[in-house]
Amino acid sequence: MSSPTVIDVWVADLTFPGYMDRLHQLGRAFEQAHPEYRVNIEGRDFRALSQQIAAAADEGCAPAIAEYYFSVTRAARDSRTRDGQPLFASVEQEIAGRSEILGEPVVIDDLLPAVREYYSEQGDLRSMPTVVTTMLTYGNRDLLRSAGVTGMPRTWQELEAACVAVRGLDGGPSHAVTWANHGLFFQQALAVQGGLLADRDNGHAGRAGRLNLESEEMLAWVRWWRRLHRRGHYLHTGKIPGWEENIKAFADRRVALRVTSSNDMNYMAMAAENSGFEMTVGRFPARDGRSYGGNIIAGTSLWLRNGLDEVTREGALAFLQFVNNPRNAADRHKDNSFVPVTRSAIELLEKEGWFEQHPYHRLAGEQLGSHPDVEGVPPCRGGMFGDFAGVQDVMTRAMNDVLADDIDPAMRFGEATREAQALLDAYERDRVENGVRSPQSLRVEYFKGVGMYTGAQVAEAVGAGD
C-alpha cells in the first residue's frame, strides 16, 4: 500500500483559545474522507508567516497551501520564485470550471459577493478566503436606553448626538465612545463615503501607483474624530492601536459605544454578560448626506502553490473546498464569530436557528451580501497595494499627533501622504528587483511591534477562558 500524499499547510496562528485545535480537527476530518492524503497543518506566528513562506520558497520547500493576512494580499499576488515564476497559482484557474474535486463540491461561486470581490483580480479568484471580518458598532443597550437613545447610531451626527446624551447621564461614564487607532477604521470610514486610499480603484482596477491620505473624505473623517475627542466624547487611550484598552473600557462600562471588528462579536457579548448589561449591534455609521458607499473586510485567505504535481494539486484544491463547505464554514463562524464566507453556510445557520438565538451575528454577513435577493450591496473597497501595513502605521501615527498634540489634520496628513508614497515606491522597487522579498514588503503589522492584538490578549481583557 502506498504512503499517503502529504499536503503541507501553513496557517496563521491567531492565538484565540482552541483556534489551532479546531484547524487540526479539520485536517483529520479531511483525511478520514480522503485517506490517500495526509494534511500537515502548521500554525505559525501570524506576524512572521509571510516572511517565512518567502524564505521557504527560496529553499524550494514552500507549503502546498499558505495563508496570508489580507494586508499582504498584493504581496502574495506579486511573489515570484527565484526563476521568476509566480509563487502561487490562481485557485479559480486551477479549478478550471469543475463543479467538484475529489468529490468535494466547489464553493467559489457561493462566496459572499464582497468577499469574492476583494480576493479576485479582474474577476479571477486568486485565493480562498477563510477568516473574514468587517466593521460594526457595539452598544451598551442599558446605558443607551437610560440616555434616551433608542436605536444604534446610523450616521456620524447620530453617533455624536448619542454621545451627548450618554455624557449627560447622572453618574454616567466620562466618555461615550471608543475605537482603536488602527488602519481598519480609516479604510472603513473612507469606504462608507465612497473614498479611496489609492488610485486605480484602490488597486483593484490595476496596479496602484499613487496614494492619497489627504483626500476630502479622509480629512472629513479625521476632523470629525478630532471633534469627538475635543468635546470629551471619544475615549483616547493614548495607545496605538489600543485594542485591549478600548475593549476593556466597554467591558467596564466606561463607554456606551465601541466601534470595532465583527471578529470581536463573541468577546463583546462575553464582556456584556460578565458585566451584567445587554449588548446591541449596528453597522459602522455613514457620513451624513452621503449614501453608504461600501465596506471593507479583513482576515486571511489560503493560497495554492504554483507548480505542484497533479496528485498534490488535486488534494490541495479539494481541501480548499472542504474548509469552506457549509458545515465547516458555519462552525468556524460559531467558534470565532468570523463572517460565514458562503451563502450556503448562512442558510445552514438560519436553518439550525443559530441567528434566531444569536441575532447580532446576522448583521456582518448581511452587509457583505449574504442574501441574493437583496440588491445594491455596497462594494468592497479595501485597499490592494504593497506595504499596506506600513501605510497603516503612517495613518495611525498621524492621527495620534492630531489627537494628542492637536496638529492640523491637513498638514499632518499631507506629510503622511508623502511618507506613505515612499513606502509604496520602495515596495515596487522590491517587487521589480527581487520578486517581493524585503521584510518590509511582507510585514503584516506595524513598526516597532505594534498593530494587531492577539486572541489571547483580547480574551484576557474581557476575562474569557477556553
Side-chain angles (χ1 to χ4, degrees), residues 33-311:
H34 304 274
E36 69 274 24
Y37 289 98
R38 182 169 68 84
V39 181
N40 179 33
I41 297 178
E42 294 185 33
R44 295 177 173 240
D45 187 330
F46 63 88
R47 303 170 188 86
L49 178 55
S50 53
Q51 296 176 38
Q52 293 174 356
I53 295 166
D58 281 347
E59 297 173 1
C61 57
I65 295 173
E67 189 168 42
Y68 280 75
Y69 195 61
F70 82 101
S71 59
V72 281
T73 298
R74 180 76 260 179
R77 291 182 183 179
D78 291 338
S79 290
R80 296 292 184 268
T81 60
R82 284 298 184 189
D83 61 2
Q85 297 300 307
L87 180 56
F88 298 107
S90 158
V91 168
E92 186 165 5
Q93 290 182 28
E94 294 298 314
I95 290 172
R98 289 177 285 176
S99 61
E100 64 175 43
I101 299 171
L102 303 182
E104 299 292 340
V106 170
V107 300
I108 61 173
D109 290 336
D110 194 31
L111 293 169
L112 299 186
V115 177
R116 175 160 184 161
E117 180 183 5
Y118 184 78
Y119 288 107
S120 295
E121 188 170 22
Q122 298 180 346
D124 174 34
L125 184 69
R126 297 294 307 278
S127 58
M128 179 64 79
T130 46
V131 173
V132 173
T133 68
T134 190
M135 305 299 289
L136 299 172
T137 304
Y138 299 79
N140 179 326
R141 189 188 289 272
D142 296 348
L143 276 175
L144 293 172
R145 280 176 175 162
S146 296
V149 180
T150 57
M152 288 294 286
R154 295 166 297 178
T155 68
W156 295 0
Q157 285 183 7
E158 288 184 9
L159 190 146
E160 188 166 354
C163 289
V164 172
V166 168
R167 293 194 65 224
L169 286 171
D170 289 336
S174 60
H175 296 79
V177 67
T178 193
W179 58 81
N181 182 8
H182 187 278
L184 290 174
F185 299 87
F186 296 90
Q187 288 192 74
Q188 181 69 17
L190 290 185
V192 299
Q193 300 176 72
L196 302 170
L197 286 168
D199 62 354
R200 295 178 178 167
D201 195 27
N202 248 3
H204 291 281
R207 181 172 297 280
R210 303 302 302 176
L211 298 177
N212 182 10
L213 307 189
E214 52 185 325
S215 65
E216 187 275 334
E217 293 87 359
M218 176 68 87
L219 292 180
W221 164 250
V222 169
R223 286 170 176 147
W224 179 70
W225 186 346
R226 179 182 65 169
R227 171 174 156 151
L228 292 181
H229 173 59
R230 280 177 166 179
R231 296 187 175 187
H233 300 319
Y234 170 77
L235 174 62
H236 177 44
T237 67
K239 299 289 183 68
I240 302 176
W243 294 109
E244 297 168 72
E245 291 79 9
N246 65 55
I247 193 173
K248 195 169 190 312
F250 184 80
D252 293 344
R253 302 177 182 231
R254 289 186 286 120
V255 293
L257 295 160
R258 182 187 181 220
V259 185
T260 190
S261 169
S262 61
N263 177 59
D264 283 349
M265 181 72 71
N266 286 347
Y267 288 109
M268 292 291 280
M270 190 175 299
E273 182 179 359
N274 290 346
S275 296
F277 63 84
E278 184 182 355
M279 186 182 75
T280 185
V281 180
R283 71 180 187 179
F284 190 101
R287 180 179 173 183
D288 297 84
R290 297 281 185 97
S291 60
Y292 209 91
N295 292 291
I296 65 161
I297 63 171
T300 63
S301 68
L302 297 172
W303 292 75
L304 179 71
R305 199 181 86 202
N306 195 22
L308 295 171
D309 65 85
E310 182 179 0
V311 174

